[in-house]
């Protein structure tokens, strides 16, 4: 009940604000609050930039999820294959990345790729190439940072899952002459499905809501707003320019999208006859 | 099950219709106490000690004059001022009586219902007649006055005397010469930016637009219309964006730069010229180029003319919610008096808002001469509309410049888009 209340009340407020004309002038009582109905939503949907940002967010989040899962699963399998010392080293390195606050991680990555002082340019001999200037190279840079700070969760969870798989099964597959990839594809992945579902949904939610990395690494949305994602866009509307109701409307849209993604995903799984 | 879902839906609709989001009753207070504690918020400057001394001496006189009053001053960090002042408007009980605020925020704060109308007090104030017109405009919204100007800030052209001497160059006298000189320097000294420019440096770019006769927006009072897509304004955008490129300031680096970035580059010896304010003087003095630079007004189109500059600066204002209106207004006038502004200039280098005081200090301090000359020539201000805060925060102008310099759009398309966004903002604030 308490949990429900804690969850429901903010969402209720978000929805409420999104149907009013609610800016700083209304909050501090300079002007009366007026009911707008779906005015904020229609303003949002008729704004070309919103659709552009939404598309960029979906594509970027999808790329992040796929890369994070690929890296996380590959390293989890690697963990089961190496000796204790390298395993410990890899674990510690991953935990270090995981424990680093997003803002610190972003700043460090940005420094690594800095046009004037960054070691990456020096090693690759790129002179003063700017990584944040082009749209794709800026997104790529942020993607690397996002993958770096979120693969440990996938890796650790999947590793724990693999450990729980009976050793005989893997041994039998190996005796049958299955390759590493084949073992993953036909034995591990199906057995780990519930775990993979959880980490995928987690990753989708995280990467769809990415804020800090974009805000810090592209200076609040990149050249001419080319690297805006939905969360940063909402921040710009809601807090930087005090259009709280418009920001709330974006928040509601995000909530609905994430809810839909999760439901569709669960539905698909159920249809395949898997219970979670 | 079905029924309960419907019930919830009905209940939600009822709840939505019944209650609106919270607002605070920020009506003007009818109390006007003549004793008690006055709370003042001023901005915390990088080197704040001299400012505190000037303020303290004003306060000492004030407290002597008004028995039974006490003033507490809090210096708030500039970076978080927006949140602090919004919070003050939201919670009148813990709000200060008097605040310092950036002059581009005036219209927004008035719309928020935060600032008290002091038109009558300003009119009755003897010293007000010498306030320069642009500074007066920066406290005026819809014909009413909401504060007093505290100091002004204006930008001019910083250039490296040693580089100019070495290459045998003359100080540019027109905007055309400025651009060609910048490219000449870059060609001869490729490690330097000719003129450091930034895609996010709105107030460095505006003089180019104003010099060509363009405007940000036209209109008076409440209703404005964007003019950034006019023929004249587009010529200015063309001129400014022509400075981005490998022949002056490579777009890959300069598109994202802000005003501070350009000054940092100049102070570190990486640029031969930069557009900086009188308030940038200390930063440049502290850099590598100390003693090897000079400042002149930014040239306009014709030889000898000065490009109109943006008159930035801060104001002081009394909050609508104050319970000590008379005292707060008196303190505001004392803090912004001719004498106090003269002292503030000596302590901090902030230019006075009174034309006569400014001329006096310019006679004493050589470095302010180009800035005072710029102020005397022509200065402009942003539209006195609450929409400006939205346009500024929405990065409308930086986006326009960045779209042009990164080749995403041509000048016409980028200006048309910016004009549309500005008009949307002007429209949304009514």
């Amino acid at each position: 009940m308490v949990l429900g209340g804690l969850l429901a009340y903010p969402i209720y407020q978000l929805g409420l604000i999104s149907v009013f004309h609610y800016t700083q002038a209304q909050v501090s009582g300079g002007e009366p609050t007026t009911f707008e109905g779906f005015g904020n939503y229609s303003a949002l949907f008729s704004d070309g930039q919103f659709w552009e940002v939404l598309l960029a967010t979906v594509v970027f989040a999808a790329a992040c999820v796929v890369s994070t899962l690929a890296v996380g699963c590959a390293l989890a399998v690697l963990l089961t294959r190496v000796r204790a010392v390298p395993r410990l080293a890899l674990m510690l390195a991953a935990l270090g990345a995981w424990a680093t606050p997003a803002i610190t991680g972003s700043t460090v990555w940005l420094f690594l790729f800095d046009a004037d002082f960054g070691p990456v340019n020096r090693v690759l001999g790129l002179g003063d190439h700017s990584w944040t200037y082009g749209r794709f190279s800026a997104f790529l840079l942020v993607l690397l940072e996002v993958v770096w700070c979120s693969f440990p969760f996938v890796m650790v969870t999947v590793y724990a899952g693999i450990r729980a798989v009976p050793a005989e099964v893997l041994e039998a597959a190996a005796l049958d002459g299955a390759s590493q990839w084949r073992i993953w594809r036909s034995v591990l992945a199906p057995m780990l499905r519930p775990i993979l579902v959880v980490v995928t949904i987690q990753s989708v939610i995280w990467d769809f809501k990415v804020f800090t990395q974009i805000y810090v690494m592209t200076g609040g949305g990149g050249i001419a707003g080319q690297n805006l994602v939905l969360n940063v866009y909402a921040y710009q509307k809601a807090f930087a320019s005090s259009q709280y109701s418009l920001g709330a409307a974006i928040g509601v849209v995000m909530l609905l999208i994430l809810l839909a993604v999760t439901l569709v995903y669960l539905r698909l799984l159920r249809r395949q006859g898997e219970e979670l | 099950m079905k029924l309960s879902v419907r019930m919830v839906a009905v209940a939600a609709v009822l709840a939505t219709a019944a209650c609106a989001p919270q607002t605070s009753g920020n009506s003007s207070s009818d109390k006007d106490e003549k004793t008690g504690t006055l709370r003042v918020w001023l901005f915390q400057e990088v080197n704040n000690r001299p400012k505190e001394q000037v303020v303290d001496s004003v306060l000492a006189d004030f407290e002597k004059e008004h028995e039974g009053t006490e003033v507490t001053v809090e210096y708030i960090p500039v970076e978080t001022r927006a949140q602090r002042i919004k919070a003050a408007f939201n919670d009148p009980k813990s709000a200060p009586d008097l605040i310092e605020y950036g002059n581009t925020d005036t219209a927004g704060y008035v719309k928020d219902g935060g600032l008290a109308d002091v038109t009558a007090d300003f009119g009755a104030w003897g010293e007000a007649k010498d306030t320069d017109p642009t500074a007066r405009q920066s406290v005026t919204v819809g014909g009413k006055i909401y504060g007093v100007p505290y100091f002004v800030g204006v930008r001019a052209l910083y250039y490296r005397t040693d580089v100019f001497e070495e290459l045998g160059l003359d100080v540019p006298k027109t905007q055309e010469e400025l651009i060609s000189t910048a490219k000449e320097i870059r060609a001869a000294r490729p490690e330097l930016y000719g003129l450091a420019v930034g895609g996010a440096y709105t107030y460095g770019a505006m003089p180019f637009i104003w010099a060509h006769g363009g405007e940000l927006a036209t209109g008076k009072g409440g209703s404005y219309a964007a003019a950034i897509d006019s023929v004249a304004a587009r010529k200015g955008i063309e001129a400014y964006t022509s400075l981005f490129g490998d022949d002056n300031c490579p777009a890959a680096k300069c598109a994202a730069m802000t005003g501070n970035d350009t000054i940092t580059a100049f102070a570190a010896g990486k640029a031969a010229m930069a557009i900086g304010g009188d308030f940038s003087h200390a930063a440049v003095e502290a850099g590598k180029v100390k003693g090897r630079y000079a400042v002149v007004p930014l040239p306009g189109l014709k030889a000898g003319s000065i490009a109109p500059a943006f008159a930035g600066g801060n104001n002081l204002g009394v909050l609508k919610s104050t319970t000590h209106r008379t005292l707060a207004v008196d303190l505001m006038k004392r803090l912004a008096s001719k004498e106090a502004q003269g002292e503030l200039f000596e302590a901090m280098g902030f230019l006075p808002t009174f034309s006569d005081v400014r001329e006096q200090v310019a006679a004493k301090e050589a470095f302010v001469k180009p800035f005072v000359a710029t102020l005397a020539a022509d200065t402009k201000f942003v539209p006195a509309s609450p929409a400006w805060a939205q346009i500024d925060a929405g990065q409308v102008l930086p986006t326009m410049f960045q779209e042009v310099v990164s080749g995403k759009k041509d000048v016409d398309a980028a200006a048309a888009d910016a004009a549309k966004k500005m008009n949307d903002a002007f429209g949304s604030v009514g």
Side-chain angles (χ1 to χ4, degrees), chain B residues 216-375:
Chain B
L216 284 167
T218 51
K220 276 252 155 15
S223 61
Y224 279 90
I228 195 73
D229 55 344
S230 70
V231 179
R234 277 180 296 171
K235 270 189 201 146
I237 299 170
E238 189 92 58
Y240 186 67
T241 50
S242 75
L243 287 160
F244 293 82
D246 292 336
D247 57 354
N248 175 51
C249 200
K253 280 191 179 167
C254 301
M257 291 214 292
T258 62
N260 274 341
D261 296 335
T262 63
I263 287 300
T264 308
F266 183 81
K270 282 179 148 180
M273 293 186 279
I275 300 167
D278 55 282
F279 40 86
S280 317
H281 181 244
V284 177
E285 276 291 290
K288 270 190 198 164
V289 297
K290 182 178 163 69
R292 290 186 287 152
Y293 73 96
V295 184
V296 290
L298 192 68
L301 292 189
K302 283 194 210 109
S305 70
I306 297 177
F310 166 69
N314 289 351
N315 299 333
L316 296 176
V318 173
L319 265 72
K320 213 190 213 175
S321 59
T322 180
T323 51
H324 301 84
R325 193 179 187 284
T326 311
L327 286 176
V329 169
D330 183 45
L331 181 58
M332 171 174 80
K333 286 195 268 191
R334 284 164 183 264
L335 281 170
S337 71
K338 286 186 178 179
E339 193 191 338
Q341 287 199 9
E343 284 170 17
L344 189 67
F345 170 79
E346 265 160 43
M348 303 294 292
F350 295 156
L351 289 173
T353 59
F354 299 103
S355 318
D356 55 337
V357 183
R358 204 152 62 212
E359 271 153 35
Q360 287 162 23
V361 302
K364 278 187 268 173
E365 279 278 1
F367 97 85
V368 298
K369 272 190 193 131
F371 300 104
V372 172
T374 305
L375 281 168

Side-chain angles (χ1 to χ4, degrees), chain A residues 152-170:
Chain A
F153 169 75
V154 177
M155 184 188 84
V156 169
T157 316
V158 173
Y159 175 66
I162 295 177
R163 280 279 120 140
V165 171
E168 307 88 74
V169 180
L170 297 176

Side-chain angles (χ1 to χ4, degrees), chain B residues 181-207:
Chain B
T181 308
K183 295 184 175 174
E184 228 170 291
I185 295 171
R186 173 81 176 175
R189 300 276 301 271
E191 78 282 8
L192 292 178
Y193 303 133
L195 169 63
V197 285
Y201 189 9
T202 310
Y203 298 125
M206 288 319 298

Side-chain angles (χ1 to χ4, degrees), chain A residues 22 27-28 116 224 226 242, chain B residues 22 26 86 112 253 402 408:
Chain A
Y22 195 62
V27 179
S28 51
D116 291 316
Q226 61 184 4
S242 298
Chain B
Q22 281 152 5
N26 201 352
K86 277 182 198 174
D112 294 346
K253 280 191 179 167
Q402 290 173 344
K408 288 191 177 67

Side-chain angles (χ1 to χ4, degrees), chain A residues 166-186:
Chain A
E168 307 88 74
V169 180
L170 297 176
E171 214 167 291
L175 280 178
D176 287 344
S179 66
Q180 197 52 244
W181 169 245
R182 190 63 204 262
I183 294 181
W184 168 261
R185 184 75 201 81
S186 308

